[in-house]
């Protein structure tokens, strides 16, 4: 489960200082990852906000941790960048020691260890996904608080609340890669339409044995729904 | 309507999931059936949150139960009086306007939002939302209550204007079942009221007949 990232601070309104000088930079966001047979599909919106100002409208929230392991970041931009950098270093070191590709579960455990140990200081919700030779495509979610669990489909970020119903009703086990891509793009679009902290473009990544393919769906190419 | 209810601890709250949807020839208004005190005690499993304010006009409520009961009681009285004076069944918009007047003029004290849906001769099936501060808005479908956040994506994707009765019942049941599956303060059975020119039909979908999704 994910945490609504934007807490209202309307009471702290101060005419002298604009909103964006007083608020932390947050990736209030929508992120998602789906397993399929042979890999994973990951997706995210592209909006980073500082209060009401959109600090970056083309953010890349899909961060590489290793050759076939990525993470989707939500929550405080500073916290998630710092954690991702630390885990990238640790995982790279571990992989050299082992002399083989690291497991996705290892990456997820490293995220979990850090998020749990520093849970009081951090505000980070992370989805770790990738492919390894032992278990194929896997998605692990590490929400705020530092739990870790594997799920066939996982959504996170402030916009995820709006799409639980859609994901529950539309996900089927054993979807193909193309079906997963369509499902992810549609779910992210619906969330972006309802969540003020999510928007911009949809960034997608497919990770499989062959490697990583990345795509961007621009605003005018997003799927359209009848009422939206 | 949704955010404020979480912050009012100590009051009996109808944290819930409610919806209304227009279809070809009528409206469906629906809700779950759970009343909770705090996050962990279910004080009623089978409460009916759909209140009839006139022959073909129903309301459902989210927020403070006391406020909602007071407002609907007053609206029912004013509406029946208005209907007798006009010597004809009231308009759905009239019912919604009465609720709006009450909510807007007492906005400091009240903490309740309403969905009013019904059928009248002038405009046929209609749905009106009266929000917390007293805004009145007409919509082809609407969702409300704490559980509604989880189904915005689903209803945005699945709603089509001019659905048939069966499609609309399926749409409402699915939406409520999905919300009840994710929101711990919504649950129980699904209450639906189908309002058309000819009749008012109350449909109850018990827990074991609710649609199941992939992880259940």
């Amino acid at each position: 489960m994910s945490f609504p990232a934007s807490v209202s601070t309307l009471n702290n309104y101060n005419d002298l200082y604009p909103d964006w000088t007083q608020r932390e930079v947050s990736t209030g966001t929508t992120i998602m990852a789906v397993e399929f047979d042979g890999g994973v599909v990951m997706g995210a919106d592209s909006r980073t906000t500082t209060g009401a100002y959109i600090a970056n409208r083309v953010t890349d929230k899909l961060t590489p941790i290793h050759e076939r392991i990525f993470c989707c970041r939500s929550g405080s931009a500073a916290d998630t960048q710092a954690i991702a950098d630390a885990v990238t270093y640790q995982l790279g070191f571990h992989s050299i020691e082992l002399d083989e590709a690291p497991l996705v579960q290892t990456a997820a455990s490293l995220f979990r260890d850090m998020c749990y140990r520093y849970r009081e200081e951090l505000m980070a919700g992370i989805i770790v996904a990738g492919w390894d030779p032992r278990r194929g495509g896997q998605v692990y979610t590490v929400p705020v608080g530092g739990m870790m669990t594997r799920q066939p489909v996982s959504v996170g970020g402030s916009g995820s609340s709006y799409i639980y119903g859609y994901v529950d009703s539309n996900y089927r086990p054993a979807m193909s890669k193309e079906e997963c891509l369509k499902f992810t793009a549609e779910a992210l679009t619906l969330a972006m339409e309802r969540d003020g902290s999510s928007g911009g473009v949809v960034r997608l990544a497919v990770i499989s044995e062959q490697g990583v393919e990345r795509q961007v769906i621009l605003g005018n190419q997003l799927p359209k729904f009848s009422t939206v | 309507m949704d955010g404020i209810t979480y912050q009012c601890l100590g009051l009996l709250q109808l944290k819930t999931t409610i919806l209304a949807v227009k279809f070809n020839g009528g409206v469906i208004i629906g809700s779950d059936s759970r009343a909770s005190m705090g996050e962990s005690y279910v004080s009623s499993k089978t409460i009916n949150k759909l209140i009839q304010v006139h022959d073909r006009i129903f309301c459902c409520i989210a927020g403070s139960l006391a406020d909602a009961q007071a407002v609907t009681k007053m609206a029912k009285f004013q509406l029946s009086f208005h209907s007798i004076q006009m010597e004809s069944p009231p308009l759905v918009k009239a019912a919604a306007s009465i609720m709006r007047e009450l909510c807007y003029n007492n906005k400091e004290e009240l903490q309740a939002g309403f969905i009013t849906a019904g059928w009248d001769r002038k405009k046929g099936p209609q749905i009106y939302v009266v929000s917390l501060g007293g805004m009145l808005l007409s919509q082809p479908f609407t969702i409300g209550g704490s559980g509604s956040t989880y189904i915005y994506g689903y209803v945005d994707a699945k709603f089509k204007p001019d659905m048939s009765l069966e499609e609309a019942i399926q749409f409402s049941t699915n939406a409520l079942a999905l919300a009840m599956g994710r929101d711990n303060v919504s649950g129980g059975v699904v209450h639906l009221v189908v309002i058309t020119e000819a009749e008012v039909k109350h449909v109850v979908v018990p827990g074991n007949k609710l649609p199941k999704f992939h992880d259940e």
Side-chain angles (χ1 to χ4, degrees):
Chain A
M1 287 291 277
S2 60
F3 185 86
S6 318
V7 176
S8 169
T9 54
L10 291 172
N11 308 331
N12 295 343
Y13 179 67
N14 185 344
D15 262 333
L16 295 175
Y17 302 103
D19 184 41
W20 53 265
T21 59
Q22 299 184 77
R23 299 288 296 270
E24 192 190 347
V25 177
S26 157
T27 47
T29 182
T30 316
I31 51 178
M32 182 167 167
V34 190
E35 288 177 9
F36 65 92
D37 183 19
V40 294
V41 170
M42 305 175 75
D45 73 304
S46 71
R47 183 174 287 185
T48 306
T49 50
T50 329
Y53 174 64
I54 299 172
N56 186 349
R57 63 190 174 109
V58 286
T59 322
D60 186 5
K61 301 179 191 177
L62 304 177
T63 308
I65 304 296
H66 204 266
E67 214 178 313
R68 286 184 180 64
I69 306 176
F70 271 59
C71 74
C72 311
R73 302 178 290 113
S74 75
S76 154
D79 287 348
T80 55
Q81 284 178 358
I83 297 169
D85 287 347
V87 170
T88 306
Y89 162 75
Q90 291 171 351
L91 198 66
F93 193 83
H94 171 72
S95 169
I96 288 172
E97 280 186 317
L98 281 190
D99 198 22
E100 65 183 36
L103 298 177
V104 185
Q105 186 177 12
T106 311
S109 290
L110 289 170
F111 273 105
R112 183 267 316 274
D113 288 347
M114 194 163 294
C115 291
Y116 180 70
R117 182 179 298 262
Y118 300 108
R119 57 186 298 173
E120 304 303 323
E121 289 93 342
L122 292 175
M123 167 77 123
I126 296 176
I127 299 179
V128 185
W131 182 93
D132 63 43
R134 192 184 295 185
R135 294 200 190 116
Q138 300 146 73
V139 171
Y140 293 88
T141 180
V142 182
V144 171
M147 164 185 98
M148 191 242 308
T149 186
R150 181 177 173 187
Q151 294 181 311
V153 57
S154 186
V155 294
S158 56
S160 67
S161 320
Y162 304 106
I163 51 172
Y164 275 109
Y166 182 81
V167 167
D168 283 343
S169 63
N170 279 63
Y171 172 73
R172 289 161 293 116
M175 287 196 284
S176 69
K177 180 178 93 167
E178 288 67 31
E179 288 173 319
C180 286
L181 280 165
K182 180 163 179 285
F183 172 58
T184 307
E186 288 180 346
L188 289 171
T189 304
L190 288 164
M192 282 155 61
E193 291 291 327
R194 286 289 182 179
D195 181 30
S197 310
S198 301
V201 303
V202 168
R203 291 198 189 273
L204 295 167
V206 182
I207 308 175
S208 62
E209 183 173 7
Q210 285 73 40
V212 178
E213 302 161 32
R214 300 208 53 171
Q215 323 175 358
V216 178
I217 305 182
L218 299 178
N220 57 346
Q221 297 160 349
L222 292 171
K224 295 198 186 335
F225 299 93
S226 68
T227 55
V228 172
Chain B
M1 200 192 296
D2 323 318
I4 303 281
T5 52
Y6 278 111
Q7 291 159 30
C8 298
L9 302 170
L11 300 169
L12 182 56
Q13 292 284 305
L14 276 190
K15 293 175 194 153
T16 178
T17 312
I18 52 180
L19 63 67
V21 56
K22 222 190 307 192
F23 65 93
N24 194 357
V27 294
I28 295 183
I29 190 166
S31 77
D32 70 309
S33 69
R34 181 175 288 186
S36 51
M37 291 210 294
E39 303 285 304
S40 53
Y41 179 63
V42 176
S43 52
S44 171
K45 292 186 279 187
T46 51
I47 196 171
N48 188 357
K49 305 175 191 179
L50 305 174
I51 300 174
Q52 185 161 21
V53 292
H54 209 268
D55 289 349
R56 294 276 182 285
I57 307 178
F58 274 70
C59 259
C60 53
I61 45 184
S64 157
L65 182 52
D67 287 348
Q69 285 184 344
V71 172
T72 46
K73 215 164 153 191
M74 188 164 319
K76 220 167 156 175
F77 163 73
Q78 291 189 3
L79 199 62
S80 66
F81 193 73
H82 168 75
S83 168
I84 289 168
Q85 279 187 315
M86 305 300 286
E87 287 182 14
S88 72
L91 299 179
V92 186
K93 189 156 192 185
S97 288
I98 292 172
M99 317 278 270
R100 186 267 311 273
E101 284 301 296
L102 292 166
C103 288
Y104 182 70
N105 293 332
N106 298 300
K107 63 159 73 174
E108 313 300 329
E109 285 91 7
L110 290 177
Q111 286 269 335
F114 303 87
I115 296 178
T116 308
W119 184 94
D120 65 41
R121 178 152 304 182
K122 185 172 172 193
K123 282 201 193 153
Q126 297 145 77
I127 297 173
Y128 292 92
V129 179
V130 177
S131 68
L132 219 54
M135 172 183 81
L136 175 63
L137 197 59
S138 170
Q139 296 191 304
F141 75 92
T142 187
I143 54 179
S146 58
S148 67
T149 42
Y150 305 107
I151 50 173
Y152 273 104
Y154 179 79
V155 299
D156 279 344
K158 290 291 191 219
F159 174 75
K160 292 179 306 210
D162 278 333
M163 288 189 279
S164 69
L165 173 61
E166 291 71 30
E167 286 175 318
I169 291 183
Q170 192 61 49
F171 171 81
S172 313
T173 314
N174 284 349
L176 287 168
L178 287 165
M180 283 154 57
R182 287 288 182 179
D183 185 26
N184 63 332
V185 290
S186 297
V189 305
V190 165
H191 284 294
L192 296 175
V193 171
V194 182
I195 308 169
T196 54
E197 177 176 7
E199 59 166 1
V200 165
K201 201 165 62 149
H202 193 161
V203 177
V204 177
V205 184
N208 58 344
K209 301 274 193 331
L210 288 175
K212 288 200 185 323
F213 301 98
H214 70 97
D215 52 359
E216 296 174 73

